[in-house]
Amino acid sequence: MNLDFANVTTTNLEASREYATGGQGAPNRITFDHSRKGTLKIDTQIATMKLFSMLSGADLETSFKYAKRYELAAVDGKITVTDEIVAGTVNVFAEGDDCGTALEVTVTDGEITLPTDNNEGNFIVYAIVNVASGAKSVKFNSKTFPKAFTIYGVTPWKTEDDEIAEMHLTYYKAVPQSTFELAFSNSGIISMSITCDLLADKNNDIYDMSLVDEE
């Protein structure tokens, strides 16, 4: 995918170091570096369903179910819901008793028949709607986890000659962490951080930074 909406990316690389000591006072004499690893953190206020699919490790699905609230008027003692409703999920309440005592109704193909003693006026209907196709749905479950992928990035870089060049970045084997936070806001702006573990590929490469030499 083309992820061109990231606001901040933060790369962290580290390695473990052990020391061999020797002589009086046991000073450190030789270093042994090992276990190089790193992370890439991506902060964004824009996200796509493809991105969530990569985070879950599951493919996008085209169907799903959701709960919906309706405010509908009765006509000849009936209420009609045009959506495809899951059988057995309809609950109907009088307009002034929202989520109070559910009415005894019968449902046939989206047509709700009200009780004879309460079948006029407006009503509140709750139901589970089935979207059979045309959707984009991502499922996070106990069996799927993120997969590794390669990331190629580019960012502006100011050189010592006061010129703006393109810094090309390569993360050879990035695996999103299963833990991430997504905050929805009533301002319409989300805030999301994704952290990827950086692994070595089969050539032992982890991360590259490259500038094109224009001279």
Side-chain angles (χ1 to χ4, degrees):
M1 66 173 296
N2 179 29
L3 196 157
D4 61 351
F5 43 77
N7 292 330
V8 179
T9 61
T10 305
T11 303
N12 175 274
L13 294 172
E14 59 181 285
S16 298
R17 173 168 289 180
E18 306 293 339
Y19 300 91
T21 62
Q24 187 175 2
N28 294 335
R29 302 291 293 270
I30 305 173
T31 61
F32 297 90
D33 293 324
H34 61 93
S35 303
R36 187 182 295 280
K37 58 185 178 180
T39 58
L40 168 65
K41 182 182 177 185
I42 302 170
D43 295 320
T44 179
Q45 292 181 321
I46 299 173
T48 65
M49 295 302 289
K50 177 68 177 296
L51 178 59
F52 292 128
S53 173
M54 296 174 72
L55 292 175
S56 73
D59 294 331
L60 286 173
E61 298 187 10
T62 58
S63 62
F64 75 108
K65 298 179 177 63
Y66 70 99
K68 186 172 181 178
R69 180 181 184 273
Y70 303 85
E71 296 181 14
L72 300 171
V75 177
D76 297 329
K78 299 179 185 297
I79 299 173
T80 301
V81 176
T82 57
D83 297 313
E84 181 184 340
I85 296 176
V86 177
T89 67
V90 173
N91 288 278
V92 181
F93 302 91
E95 184 180 31
D97 190 34
D98 189 2
C99 290
T101 302
L103 303 178
E104 295 291 335
V105 300
T106 58
V107 183
T108 305
D109 296 331
E111 186 178 76
I112 303 170
T113 302
L114 298 164
T116 56
D117 60 342
N118 190 357
N119 60 8
E120 296 181 353
N122 298 321
F123 295 85
I124 307 298
V125 178
Y126 291 90
I128 301 297
V129 177
N130 180 50
V131 180
S133 62
K136 291 181 179 179
S137 177
V138 177
K139 297 185 183 299
F140 291 80
N141 61 40
S142 60
K143 296 182 179 180
T144 58
F145 295 92
K147 300 176 179 63
F149 51 87
T150 302
I151 299 174
Y152 296 97
V154 62
T155 187
W157 184 269
K158 195 168 189 178
T159 69
E160 293 184 56
D161 298 325
D162 206 31
E163 296 178 350
I164 301 299
E166 288 188 341
M167 174 67 77
H168 294 271
L169 313 174
T170 303
Y171 303 87
Y172 287 91
K173 193 175 182 181
V175 183
Q177 294 181 0
S178 295
T179 300
F180 73 95
E181 184 175 292
L182 173 64
F184 293 98
S185 169
N186 59 7
S187 68
I189 299 175
I190 70 168
S191 177
M192 183 176 179
S193 293
I194 305 161
T195 300
C196 298
D197 291 313
L198 302 179
L199 310 181
D201 68 2
K202 62 182 180 181
N203 297 318
N204 292 321
D205 292 324
I206 297 176
Y207 174 55
D208 284 354
M209 300 174 63
S210 306
L211 284 171
V212 176
D213 189 355
E214 299 293 347
E215 296 181 1

